[in-house]
């Protein structure tokens, strides 16, 4: 290589042997003069460019960067569960002067709307004391953020999810037998169901809760509850609650915690 010293014309010049100078003298097409053995150029001739040396380093491939991993199916299910719990809380949330609260009497409805069917006594003795803060006790309200944390914990524990279709059918058949002297007629009179729900057990339902149930479960006359028809409407709703339990196999329950002692049982 020759580097020109001219300031206005600095470039590398290459002394290249004539292609006829690279072959044996006896095989040349014509003899070469001395000044023909080399010539000066700034470009690499084709016959030299094609003759690649084996010592040339191999091109370095750029390292492929793996795309960032997306959320797993479990993470997607949990995100959906949190979104739907928040949507349920928003329905019952009141906002006044920038403070968001939920009335204490609505806490049971919120929890059950989120798929946790806690007994009334558990709600009163265990859940409400854990979500009612001292500064809000006189106002008889709870903060949605605190209630949300408690609901999410119960959902993940799977301790109070809905009974299965088989369990519900056994319960209705038992009510049917009680109402009809041991026979099964396929329905129970609404007034008898009202008696069972409002006047039986240690924690009977409220009248407003029963009226809401009866408007959904009773027939067009409002006098009978055909429980197979009622379950036909109810079971698809319960099956859709599977999204609330993303961390355990579907419809597989954990053992429920021990119930508190009832005053009448002591």
């Amino acid at each position: 290589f020759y580097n020109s010293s001219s300031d206005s014309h600095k470039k590398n010049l290459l002394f290249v042997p004539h292609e006829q100078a690279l072959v044996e003298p006896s095989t040349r097409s014509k003899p070469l003069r001395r000044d023909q053995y080399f010539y000066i150029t700034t470009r690499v001739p084709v016959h030299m460019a094609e003759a690649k040396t084996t010592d040339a380093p191999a091109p370095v491939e750029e390292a492929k960067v793996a795309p960032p991993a997306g959320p797993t199916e479990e993470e997607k299910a949990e995100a959906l569960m949190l979104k739907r719990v928040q949507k349920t809380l928003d329905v019952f949330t009141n906002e006044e002067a920038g403070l968001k609260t939920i009335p204490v009497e609505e806490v049971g409805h919120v929890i059950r709307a989120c798929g946790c069917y806690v007994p009334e006594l558990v709600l009163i003795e265990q859940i409400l004391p854990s979500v009612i803060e001292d500064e809000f006790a006189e106002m008889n309200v709870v903060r949605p953020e605190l209630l949300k944390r408690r609901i999410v914990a119960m959902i993940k524990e799977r301790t109070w999810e809905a009974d299965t279709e088989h369990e519900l059918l056994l319960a209705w058949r038992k009510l049917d037998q009680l109402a009809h002297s041991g026979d099964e007629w396929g329905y129970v009179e609404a007034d008898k169901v009202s008696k069972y729900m409002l006047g039986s057990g240690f924690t009977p339902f409220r009248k407003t809760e029963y009226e809401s149930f009866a408007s959904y479960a009773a027939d067009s006359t409002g006098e009978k509850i055909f429980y197979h028809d009622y379950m036909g409407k109810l079971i698809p709703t319960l099956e859709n609650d599977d999204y609330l339990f993303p961390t355990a196999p579907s419809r597989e329950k954990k053992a429920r915690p021990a119930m508190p002692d009832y005053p009448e049982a002591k």
Side-chain angles (χ1 to χ4, degrees):
F1 289 92
Y2 170 77
N3 185 269
S4 173
S5 60
S6 172
D7 293 335
S8 62
H9 187 63
K10 288 188 176 180
K11 56 185 177 180
N12 291 327
L13 302 180
L14 183 63
F15 287 77
V16 182
H18 196 283
E19 57 182 347
Q20 288 294 322
L22 298 178
V23 302
E24 290 293 330
S26 59
T27 60
R28 293 175 186 166
S29 59
K30 59 181 180 179
L32 297 177
R33 298 193 308 270
R34 181 175 296 179
D35 59 345
Q36 291 179 328
Y37 276 84
F38 293 91
Y39 58 93
I40 301 173
T41 181
T42 58
R43 298 182 180 179
V44 178
V46 176
H47 69 279
M48 292 188 65
E50 292 177 350
K52 297 181 180 179
T53 61
T54 58
D55 296 335
V60 179
E61 294 184 0
E62 294 184 3
K64 295 182 179 179
V65 180
T72 63
E73 292 302 318
E74 245 183 40
E75 291 170 340
K76 290 180 181 178
E78 184 162 349
L80 181 59
M81 177 265 291
L82 293 173
K83 180 179 178 180
R84 294 186 176 179
V85 169
Q86 185 60 56
K87 186 176 180 180
T88 303
L89 288 167
D90 292 342
V91 173
F92 294 89
T93 299
N94 300 321
E95 185 173 359
E96 185 175 351
L99 178 63
K100 294 183 178 181
T101 59
I102 295 176
V104 168
E105 59 268 19
E106 300 286 4
V107 170
H109 299 305
V110 176
I111 293 174
R112 292 173 185 128
C114 289
C116 301
Y117 299 92
V118 296
E120 192 71 12
L121 196 63
V122 173
L123 174 68
I124 294 171
E125 295 192 359
Q126 297 181 8
I127 297 175
L128 286 180
S130 68
V131 297
I132 298 177
E133 300 168 286
D134 294 339
E135 58 267 35
F136 297 107
E138 294 184 0
M139 300 170 59
N140 210 31
V141 296
V142 301
R143 288 191 301 118
E145 298 84 0
L146 186 59
L147 182 58
K148 180 180 180 179
R149 289 199 294 269
R150 185 60 192 267
I151 291 174
V152 170
M154 287 191 293
I155 288 173
K156 291 184 176 181
E157 290 170 1
R158 297 178 64 97
T159 49
W160 297 114
E161 65 175 300
D163 289 327
T164 63
E165 181 179 359
H166 177 67
E167 292 168 328
L168 291 174
L169 180 59
L170 289 178
W172 275 107
R173 290 177 62 186
K174 186 64 176 179
L175 291 177
D176 192 355
Q177 294 169 12
L178 289 173
H180 303 124
S181 304
D183 295 331
E184 293 185 15
W185 292 9
Y187 67 86
V188 184
E189 290 78 1
D191 59 340
K192 293 182 179 179
V193 175
S194 171
K195 177 183 176 182
Y196 297 143
M197 296 181 67
L198 298 178
S200 301
F202 297 110
T203 54
F205 287 86
R206 301 184 184 93
K207 186 177 180 179
T208 54
E209 291 175 330
Y210 169 75
E211 291 173 351
S212 176
F213 157 77
S215 66
Y216 180 79
D219 64 356
S220 57
T221 66
E223 297 179 355
K224 299 177 182 177
I225 297 177
F226 292 87
Y227 50 87
H228 287 283
D229 295 340
Y230 163 65
M231 291 178 59
K233 295 192 295 182
L234 183 65
I235 293 303
T237 304
L238 296 179
E239 290 177 347
N240 288 338
D241 280 350
D242 283 346
Y243 74 86
L244 291 169
F245 308 98
T247 57
S250 177
R251 314 306 295 164
E252 184 177 321
K253 296 182 182 178
K254 287 186 177 181
R256 291 182 173 176
M259 294 285 290
D261 294 331
Y262 293 102
E264 295 86 348
K266 291 183 179 178

